[in-house]
Amino acid sequence: MIISLWDHFSDYEALTTTTLPGTFPVALGHRLKTSTYYGLSLATKITSSFILNPQIPENAALQSWCLANAAKIRELPPMATMQALMVKSAAPPLTDAINIINLPTSVEKVQLINVKGIAKLTNFNQRFYYLACSLCNRASNAYEDHELWCNYCFQRVPPLARVKFNIEVSDPTASIEATIFPEIVEQFYGITEANIDTTEPNAPLSPELLDQLAEPKRCNITLKAYMNTYAGISQCKFNVYSMSAIPLPTLDDQQNLQQTLALPPPTPIKNEKSVTASASSHPAKEISGKKRKLN
């Protein structure tokens, strides 16, 4: 069965579940809904939550059953046969990058759009992370005595710092603000929750990390455009869906470019020899057969 992860579940839980350790990891889903989109399937809603590899007797029993029936489980149809359905439910990114000035101001549904530009941190007064449950990765503000109370797991857990902030993405045409999420920050900037002090819920980032984030980076960026409504006002927002650095020109490329620019312009090919002599020094010959004009 397919489970569709919508909105922030596609940014957090989707990546986490694909890297769970073990032969038969378990994801316990709460408050999921049944969907008939492309057949019978499950889907998340705004109140859904997940507990990954929960330490409960039912989980141990399920994993034991899977290990005992591993051969039968592997005979099930592979996920490749369901790939067509999964591709239809996802919006593929555009192949060509567009100028930022041409980004939409409103979208009917979530869109993935490619741009090329400079990514850097410009707003140093924002909050750069939030505290989340270390079991389900859901945010929580119930911080007390170095622990969080999770309303989804119904227990006190150690806090997990999730790096999230806004960056400026610019090109020669315009600039926008986009939200960057923990997985992208870890892959692109190398900053994880281990770099953040969770003993204080609002502790600032170190100056070294801020300098690292403020360094401009040339990159290809896939933006996720969506509509956000707050206080009755709807506007188009952008999240960073993926990032990849654009490599700087090598020394050989720069030397080749300089040599190309230093070459003189090519000499134009002349089909006929131009006449530059004056009429006084070299009288022009009359063309035979041409009648002389008489005044």
Side-chain angles (χ1 to χ4, degrees), residues 129-141 148 150 157-162 198:
Y129 66 94
Y130 63 91
L131 297 180
C133 173
S134 53
L135 295 180
C136 66
N137 290 338
R138 301 295 292 269
S140 175
N141 293 323
L148 289 177
C150 181
V157 295
L160 177 67
R162 304 284 287 173
T198 58

Side-chain angles (χ1 to χ4, degrees), residues 25-44:
V26 174
L28 179 60
H30 295 274
R31 294 176 293 277
L32 301 176
K33 67 178 180 180
T34 303
S35 174
T36 57
Y37 191 61
Y38 290 119
L40 186 63
S41 62
L42 297 175
T44 59

Side-chain angles (χ1 to χ4, degrees), residues 9 11 39 105 118 125 167 174 204 207 284:
F9 290 99
D11 298 316
T105 57
I118 304 296
N125 295 322
I167 60 173

